[in-house]
Amino acid sequence: MLASEVASQIALHQPYGGVVPEVASRNHLRTLRPVVDQALKTAGVKISEIEAFAATRGPGLATSLMIGASAAKGLAVGAGKPFLAVNHIEGHLLSPFFGTDEGLRPAVGLVVSGGHTMLVDIMGLGQYRILGQTRDDAAGEAFDKVGKLLGLPYPGGPNVNRLAKEGDPARYDLPRSMIDSGDFHFSFSGLKTAVRYLLPKLEEFSLPDLCASFQEAVVDVLVAKTIAAARLAGRKVVGISGGVSCNTRLREKLGEACSRRGLELLIAEPWLCTDNAAMIGYLAALKLAAGERSPLDVDIDPGLRLS
Ligand code: KG4
Ligand code: ZN
């Protein structure tokens, strides 16, 4: 990797308590060109030296995807080089292999982001079997909604994680939804509702203890199901990705659970877990090496699934 530039919009959306699509697309337009220029500068390469151009096709916000994909197509046409449209979830899924000696290999992957919570049996590039996914809220969405309930700034995830470090995870008894369901599906909306109903019943509450108790409930379910999925799929390697995989308690508990069972755990560095272009570039490079190209008329797809 020669360069990785991220133009974060967190500060812009913070006053609204969540992502505002119109604000997001305007700022994609404004920052895209400077970010491309900065990446070329950092990498020390000319645009004519780039072998291929890639962008996310989906899932995501239509008005933001459109700007990224149109720009990458334009650069590809201008430079006379191939274009690759890639799947955002697949980008997260394969990111734990980025920079590893062995590269991509069979594993069970847990994708935990603001939009997805999914367990996948990774057989090879483009060969995925979805073992289970959330029935309602994604894990990151639950963190963000509970953060909002507790009056924490957007996004809730990192703030809940920070406060939880000083808290007692056993202080409040919260549900581990679907932990014994015998499948690999998840549900987090009941946990969020449990926090909502608990709050008015408490005369006073400890914010760190509540954050720690909520976080522990999410982490317990994620760890139990990931370990069970690795056993069912007969995989010795587990890879976790997506913004929630930055969570220090998840990293700690999944790390312990994997080493107890002789499983190898691959977790990317935090900067590679939240949305970034390096994971899209890595996936595009794998596809390019496998001879894949995308036609220029391939459209964005805000609801694109992993298949
Ligand atoms: O992968 P990502 O950057 O964007 C999506 O594709 O959704 O994930 C963002 C999500 C947000 O919900 C954010 O609150 C959560 O990841 N997140 C965390 C932590 N850091 C980010 N959740 C829990 N603990 C964290 N440390
Ligand atoms: Zn993402």
Side-chain angles (χ1 to χ4, degrees), residues 117 119 133-135 178 184-188 221-222 225:
T117 300
L119 273 164
Q133 51 193 318
T134 184
R135 296 273 191 228
M178 295 183 74
F184 302 109
H185 296 303
F186 301 90
S187 167
F188 293 108
V221 178
L222 293 175
K225 299 230 172 189

Side-chain angles (χ1 to χ4, degrees), residues 88 92 113 275:
H88 177 181
H92 278 303
S113 68
D275 286 346

Side-chain angles (χ1 to χ4, degrees), residues 14 46 48 61 135 150 154 179 195 197 212 230 245 269 276 284:
Q14 215 153 37
K46 292 196 282 289
S48 57
L61 283 174
R135 296 273 191 228
L150 300 176
Y154 167 85
I179 200 165
V195 174
Y197 286 140
S245 60
E269 307 252 322
N276 65 87

Side-chain angles (χ1 to χ4, degrees), residues 21 68 155 159-160 291 298:
N159 291 303
V160 169
V298 65

Side-chain angles (χ1 to χ4, degrees), residues 46-82:
K46 292 196 282 289
I47 206 139
S48 57
E49 294 174 277
I50 306 277
E51 257 179 82
F53 295 85
T56 305
R57 192 181 158 213
L61 283 174
T63 46
S64 295
L65 293 169
M66 216 149 60
I67 292 164
S70 305
K73 285 179 189 177
L75 289 168
V77 172
K81 297 288 170 57

Side-chain angles (χ1 to χ4, degrees), residues 240-255:
I240 70 165
S241 55
V244 181
S245 60
C246 292
N247 186 272
T248 52
R249 187 67 177 147
L250 176 61
R251 291 167 96 96
E252 181 180 76
K253 282 195 113 173
L254 193 57

